Amino acid sequence: MTARKPLAFKPFCEALEQHCRTLSYDELVELVIALGARVRPGERHAFLEEVGSLADPAALEVDPGSLAAKAESFAQELQTRWEAIADGSYWELYGDEELEISGRYYRDPFDVPAITEEHWARLLELFAEADSLFADGSLEDARRAYEPLISLFRRGDDLPFHAYASDDPEKLDLRETRARYARCVYETAPLESRLERTLWAMEATVQSPFADLALSDSYPTFTEMAEARRAELPDRESFLQSWRERLHEEVGVSARAQALFLEAVELTEGEPGLQRVAREWWPGRPLAYRYWIEYLRNRERRLEAVHAAREVLRLEDTGSANEAFDSRDRRSVRRYAAETLVHVGRQLQDDEIVLEGRRALFLLERSEESLANLLQAAETLDRREIELKQAIDILAAGKQRHNATHVKALIIAGRLGDTFAIARSGKSVGWSYSDCAMGLCFAAILAHSADRDARRAGGGGAGTPTIKRLLVEYAEAPHPFIDPEVKTSSDEEADRPNSYLVQVIFEGLTQAGLGRETAASYLRWAEKVGRARVDHIVSEKHRGAYRRAAETLVALGEYYAATARPDSAAALIQEYRERFNRHIAFKRELREVLSESGLITDL
């Protein structure tokens, strides 16, 4: 279930008022008591004080003049602190004092907190007092108090602390605070400068690393600014036209300006305007498609959202002035479109649309998660084999050729020969990191051969828990060198892909058919790389990998035992015990893995 957008102050108050108007006096009293009953014991005094201050506005005791001065002084204090941290004078100015307060002495400037808990508490208190002036309608006084505090967050990438830097459970809602400040600026600015001052207060040209963040970052929309108070925004309609024209001048500079412009189009033209701008802006400014699709989804116009999503997924890319960033943003918008197909398909209980979305996500991501989700969606329509074959062809033709996702897809299809052709050129080390395809192939060959030979021997072979555990571990391990621009699906309802991948990999192994000579050559390779892996890890004293070396060795032993060759298993284990007799830590790991395996009880 996707998170709902924050509700602006004005519609929140209207909904609350509508509900309260239906209640009697006694019912209202019971409602307030019920709210109080949910307050934690340590917060009850504060709750009563807050109720009392709301009942008696004079109890707030906010002095507008002194509040603005306090806010300015506080902002200057933090600026001085940050400069002291940067130039090294922190230790002379603050070091001893903070050592006495916190008991910590910071030796490295990177360890020094940009804002202390005491600063954070004062910041929240100052914002709360400014909010009181805003709620009172003292907009000029509130603006003067907000301004130096908001300036602390106007440093862009140089901001030395996050808006949620404190451990205090009371967090700062910076988005709504910015909306209130911008409303103050809008209403107090002279008419001739209102447009430019509002543009500045809304931080309309702030830079965002990803275009889609402009829709969900900690900056307010025009609507949120307009609805920050219960009173109507003065001159709203006439201002909107000027606002839209001014933002159009900035759309080439900032993704946030694009988002605000699209909102202005929505407010002045509605959905037809969004549709038109989306098509006009592609491919250079792909955010418009994201905005249009989100507009349709938010209004439950599901089939229209599906059509818009399909449209953007079909569009071709052409060159643009800022190709690297535009390509990344187009990929993000297409991912959102594909996720829309999945989301809406589930709402409509239309498995065809869900599969279409999963297929589009796989084409974009080509990851193990997207492969698992694609195959699960295809199973519902009895099309898994068709989709799997197409997925393998796509992986084989792209940058993902021979990576872990490609190898897993081949094993699922029962194509162990193709898997071996990829793995045979790999290394005997790095299986847990850069080359988990090698580890997967090693475990798959042992599992397949042990199971086949045990069946031929009448099912009397020993169990192979270590082989199966290795197969599960490498089947679940994500490939660590996925394109950093590729993000996996954020669909919260997606099934867990790892357990499904493990299941279908085991199924694929049972379907793999190998001739006797081919299987023997694969096993010789597995023995060779398995031994080389153990030799390298232990001889190079990679102690953190001793457990993995022991598992590799015991997996080979399990294969021998499963194929009625317990003497070979015992000889292998004894050989490595003697070879690495002085490596006590490795021998300890080997004993532990052997005990978990239960393979050779007399060793």
Side-chain angles (χ1 to χ4, degrees):
M1 181 177 178
T2 54
R4 289 185 292 182
K5 293 178 65 174
L7 189 60
F9 181 74
K10 184 173 185 287
F12 169 72
C13 288
E14 289 172 348
L16 196 59
E17 180 181 12
Q18 183 179 6
H19 177 70
C20 289
R21 293 288 183 194
T22 65
L23 303 177
S24 67
Y25 172 82
D26 289 338
E27 288 172 328
L28 281 172
V29 170
E30 290 299 322
L31 177 63
V32 174
I33 292 173
L35 292 173
R38 299 183 181 184
V39 175
R40 291 181 292 184
E43 299 172 355
R44 287 171 183 164
H45 285 297
F47 178 78
L48 288 173
E49 289 170 3
E50 186 172 0
V51 171
S53 68
L54 291 173
D56 179 12
L60 292 173
E61 297 180 352
V62 176
D63 181 350
S66 66
L67 177 57
K70 285 194 297 183
E72 185 66 44
S73 174
F74 176 77
Q76 186 57 52
E77 181 182 332
L78 277 184
Q79 295 283 2
T80 302
R81 176 186 179 83
W82 297 338
E83 292 169 7
I85 294 172
D87 64 24
S89 60
Y90 160 84
W91 286 268
E92 180 182 346
L93 297 175
Y94 306 104
D96 293 339
E97 178 185 349
E98 292 192 5
L99 172 62
E100 186 176 334
I101 295 172
S102 67
R104 293 191 62 184
Y105 186 83
Y106 303 99
R107 298 186 181 279
D108 192 308
F110 292 104
D111 295 332
V112 180
I115 181 169
T116 66
E117 289 297 316
E118 180 187 356
H119 284 131
W120 187 258
R122 287 170 59 195
L123 178 64
L124 291 177
E125 183 180 333
L126 289 168
F127 268 127
E129 292 183 19
D131 289 343
S132 296
L133 292 174
F134 179 81
D136 246 3
S138 304
L139 301 188
E140 177 60 27
D141 293 329
R143 182 194 65 77
R144 290 173 56 232
Y146 278 132
E147 206 145 80
L149 303 178
I150 291 289
S151 71
L152 295 172
F153 299 89
R154 279 184 172 271
R155 296 165 60 97
D157 293 337
D158 296 328
L159 183 64
F161 71 99
H162 193 273
Y164 303 117
S166 173
D167 292 331
D168 192 310
E170 184 181 3
K171 307 301 183 184
L172 172 64
D173 189 335
L174 192 55
R175 182 167 179 149
E176 182 156 352
T177 299
R178 282 174 164 145
R180 292 171 179 173
Y181 168 65
R183 178 69 184 260
C184 291
V185 171
Y186 178 96
E187 292 209 41
T188 59
L191 287 178
E192 63 273 13
S193 60
R194 173 184 280 173
L195 180 60
E196 291 302 321
R197 291 196 181 185
T198 303
L199 192 79
W200 182 83
M202 290 284 285
E203 302 182 61
T205 57
V206 70
Q207 298 298 315
S208 177
F210 296 97
D212 56 344
L213 290 182
L215 300 174
S216 58
D217 212 345
S218 57
Y219 297 93
T221 64
F222 176 85
T223 301
E224 288 167 344
M225 181 275 287
E227 295 182 345
R229 298 186 68 204
R230 297 182 69 181
E232 294 293 334
L233 186 73
D235 309 317
R236 173 174 175 147
E237 297 307 316
S238 59
F239 179 81
L240 253 178
Q241 294 298 330
S242 303
W243 177 247
R244 172 176 167 168
E245 292 170 8
R246 181 66 182 85
L247 285 168
H248 191 263
E249 300 171 13
E250 304 291 343
V251 295
V253 176
S254 160
R256 171 151 172 78
Q258 292 177 25
L260 289 171
F261 174 80
L262 291 166
E263 182 195 20
V265 170
E266 174 195 338
L267 294 173
T268 54
E269 291 187 55
E271 190 266 338
L274 293 176
Q275 181 181 133
R276 174 182 54 78
V277 174
R279 291 167 178 166
E280 289 175 357
W281 279 13
W282 185 270
R285 297 172 192 147
L287 182 65
Y289 263 104
R290 164 70 186 260
Y291 195 103
W292 176 30
I293 296 170
E294 188 170 323
Y295 172 92
L296 295 170
R297 281 182 58 168
N298 289 340
R299 285 155 184 78
E300 300 294 330
R301 293 165 62 173
R302 294 169 181 165
L303 289 178
E304 291 173 85
V306 167
H307 293 320
R310 284 171 173 163
E311 180 175 314
V312 74
L313 288 168
R314 287 195 302 265
L315 289 173
E316 295 182 1
D317 291 352
T318 56
S320 56
N322 197 356
E323 183 58 31
F325 285 98
D326 293 344
S327 175
R328 181 182 63 187
D329 291 337
R330 285 195 294 272
R331 183 193 294 264
S332 175
V333 169
R334 284 190 167 115
R335 185 178 300 110
Y336 181 77
E339 289 172 348
T340 294
L341 293 178
V342 175
H343 177 77
V344 175
R346 283 177 166 166
Q347 288 181 321
L348 298 174
Q349 297 183 333
D350 189 323
D351 294 333
E352 291 280 358
I353 295 177
V354 173
L355 177 58
E356 183 183 355
R358 289 300 184 198
R359 188 184 302 120
L361 280 169
F362 175 76
L363 283 168
L364 288 165
E365 298 170 1
R366 306 188 186 194
S367 66
E368 295 167 28
E369 179 182 355
S370 62
L371 173 65
N373 288 331
L374 170 64
L375 298 182
Q376 283 179 297
E379 273 188 1
T380 307
L381 296 167
D382 198 24
R383 293 189 203 163
R384 196 185 86 174
E385 299 310 313
I386 296 172
E387 295 294 337
L388 177 58
K389 183 180 183 306
Q390 292 175 350
I392 290 172
D393 292 342
I394 290 166
L395 292 168
K399 291 189 298 182
Q400 294 75 21
R401 185 170 181 259
H402 295 181
N403 77 354
T405 306
H406 186 200
V407 167
K408 291 176 185 180
L410 289 171
I411 295 176
I412 293 168
R415 292 165 58 176
L416 198 54
D418 292 333
T419 304
F420 177 72
I422 293 171
R424 67 189 303 173
S425 60
K427 298 178 181 180
S428 60
V429 294
W431 297 0
S432 302
Y433 301 101
S434 60
D435 202 2
C436 62
M438 274 284 290
L440 181 61
C441 189
F442 170 81
I445 287 172
L446 291 184
H448 178 269
S449 299
D451 183 63
R452 181 204 59 196
D453 292 351
R455 286 199 307 270
R456 285 178 179 172
T464 57
T466 308
I467 293 175
K468 290 177 180 176
R469 184 167 68 248
L470 283 178
L471 187 58
V472 169
E473 287 176 2
Y474 292 124
E476 289 184 338
H479 193 269
F481 294 125
I482 293 173
D483 182 345
E485 292 181 9
V486 175
K487 300 175 184 177
T488 53
S489 169
S490 61
D491 188 345
E492 296 176 4
E493 298 177 11
D495 298 312
R496 295 183 59 176
N498 278 346
S499 59
Y500 176 78
L501 275 181
V502 171
Q503 172 194 329
V504 292
I505 282 173
F506 274 102
E507 291 174 3
L509 285 175
T510 63
Q511 299 169 11
L514 297 176
R516 184 179 294 275
E517 291 185 9
T518 301
S521 69
Y522 290 1
L523 283 167
R524 287 194 295 272
W525 170 85
E527 291 172 336
K528 179 182 177 181
V529 297
R531 283 174 169 270
R533 177 170 172 78
V534 177
D535 291 343
H536 176 83
I537 290 173
V538 183
S539 62
E540 295 295 327
K541 298 181 180 179
H542 295 302
R543 290 180 171 82
Y546 280 178
R547 169 81 183 188
R548 294 194 288 273
E551 288 176 335
T552 302
L553 188 62
V554 173
L556 285 170
E558 283 184 353
Y559 165 70
Y560 294 142
T563 54
R565 289 185 285 167
D567 291 344
S568 298
L572 176 71
I573 301 301
Q574 189 60 32
E575 174 190 341
Y576 274 86
R577 279 179 168 167
E578 293 175 0
R579 181 182 303 180
F580 298 117
N581 185 49
R582 296 184 179 182
H583 293 72
I584 306 302
F586 169 68
K587 290 169 69 178
R588 182 169 57 248
E589 293 288 356
L590 183 57
R591 281 196 305 272
E592 187 174 330
V593 175
L594 281 168
S595 68
E596 293 171 359
S597 171
L599 167 64
I600 310 168
T601 56
D602 58 345
L603 285 182

